[in-house]
């Protein structure tokens, strides 16, 4: 069975996350920022926040966490993201 040459944004998102763990946070950010269609997804914004945080970039980390917190409807996820925002000095 031949695989489709184009992959959807969710597949690209998962690949970018893996790249961040295997290679480095900057490569994950670069890959995430190339993905179109997930800008209003709390997991996408939270992942960007996580990788910026790992790069010691609190301004960008906070910005993406704040976007993520506005997009989530889950109280548990809201609390998790809020805890990450509070850790930023």
């Amino acid at each position: 069975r031949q695989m489709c040459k184009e992959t959807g944004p969710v597949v690209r998102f998962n690949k970018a996350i893996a790249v961040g763990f295997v290679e480095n946070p900057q490569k994950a950010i670069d890959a995430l920022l190339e993905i179109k269609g997930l800008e209003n997804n709390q997991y996408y914004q939270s992942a960007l926040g996580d990788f910026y945080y790992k790069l010691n970039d609190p301004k960008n980390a906070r910005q993406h966490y704040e976007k993520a917190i506005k997009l989530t409807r889950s109280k548990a996820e809201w609390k998790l993201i809020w805890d990450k925002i509070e850790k930023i000095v």
Side-chain angles (χ1 to χ4, degrees):
R1 201 163 136 184
Q2 189 175 10
M3 291 190 67
C4 204
K5 290 187 184 207
E6 286 188 39
T7 56
V10 174
V11 173
R12 293 178 65 209
F13 172 80
N14 288 326
K15 184 177 178 183
I17 300 302
V19 165
F21 285 108
V22 173
E23 295 187 31
N24 65 61
Q26 186 60 58
K27 285 190 178 187
I29 291 168
D30 294 342
L32 287 166
L33 292 175
E34 289 180 11
I35 301 170
K36 303 299 176 217
L38 294 180
E39 297 84 4
N40 293 319
N41 179 290
Q42 74 264 24
Y43 303 114
Y44 172 82
Q45 294 296 337
S46 188
L48 281 167
D50 289 346
F51 288 119
Y52 278 115
Y53 182 79
K54 288 180 182 183
L55 285 179
N56 295 315
D57 184 345
K59 180 182 174 190
N60 278 315
R62 183 179 192 93
Q63 175 185 352
H64 287 285
Y65 287 145
E66 287 174 352
K67 286 181 185 177
I69 215 165
K70 289 177 186 174
L71 293 168
T72 190
R73 293 191 172 126
S74 163
K75 287 183 183 181
E77 289 176 2
W78 189 94
K79 171 90 170 86
L80 177 67
I81 298 165
W82 182 253
D83 289 346
K84 290 178 181 185
I85 290 171
E86 287 189 324
K87 283 197 304 189
I88 297 173
V89 177

